[in-house]
């Protein structure tokens, strides 16, 4: 992702799209009250790892008490391609400690 993104003041909730300069990596993120929220699919795209790998690392982060699940997981209603709505877990990507572990170990 580009380091020269404009600084933005986010109020409420919105979806922001980012694409790498080479066009290969595209990530849409949920911003709510200055916090970035990513679901597991977005984490797999960001770290270029399998869903199982991301799931395992998230599980260990919570088991090891590195982060408290209640403070970094939030469920957002998402409409799927079939038109049904689902509650999907999103992870607070603004917490650098958990992301550092995912980035280095995943």
């Amino acid at each position: 992702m580009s380091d020269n993104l404009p600084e933005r003041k986010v109020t409420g909730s919105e979806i922001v799209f980012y694409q790498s300069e080479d066009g290969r990596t595209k990530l849409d993120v949920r911003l709510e009250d200055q916090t970035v929220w990513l679901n597991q699919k977005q984490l797999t795209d960001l770290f270029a790892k399998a869903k199982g790998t991301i799931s395992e690392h998230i599980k260990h982060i919570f088991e090891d008490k590195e982060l408290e699940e209640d403070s970094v997981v939030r469920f957002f209603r998402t409409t799927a391609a079939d038109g049904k709505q689902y509650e999907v877990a999103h992870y607070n990507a603004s917490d650098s400690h958990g992301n550092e572990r995912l980035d280095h170990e995943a």
Side-chain angles (χ1 to χ4, degrees):
M1 305 296 148
S2 176
D3 288 336
N4 42 348
L5 294 172
E7 186 172 325
R8 300 174 49 150
K9 174 125 174 106
V10 177
T11 56
S13 179
E14 64 183 285
I15 304 292
V16 180
F17 297 90
Y18 295 102
Q19 188 165 358
S20 63
E21 290 178 15
D22 65 6
R24 294 178 55 195
T25 303
K26 179 183 165 207
L27 187 65
D28 60 314
V29 300
R30 178 181 293 273
L31 295 174
E32 185 158 319
D33 298 326
Q34 306 273 341
T35 301
V36 176
W37 296 92
L38 300 174
N39 61 35
Q40 277 194 356
K41 170 70 170 103
Q42 293 166 320
L43 289 169
T44 64
D45 292 343
L46 179 63
F47 294 109
K49 300 296 177 186
K51 183 179 176 189
T53 302
I54 297 294
S55 296
E56 180 180 340
H57 286 288
I58 290 171
K59 177 182 155 195
H60 290 298
I61 287 168
F62 295 143
E63 285 177 350
D64 295 345
K65 304 286 187 206
E66 290 181 46
L67 296 172
E68 291 296 324
E69 189 169 357
D70 291 343
S71 65
V72 296
V73 178
R74 184 163 177 196
F75 287 85
F76 292 98
R77 187 177 310 268
T78 303
T79 303
D82 62 5
K84 294 181 183 177
Q85 291 190 342
Y86 299 93
E87 294 288 322
V88 177
H90 285 70
Y91 302 88
N92 180 339
S94 300
D95 187 295
S96 61
H97 184 69
N99 290 325
E100 287 174 10
R101 178 172 175 165
L102 282 170
D103 191 29
H104 290 99
E105 295 181 11

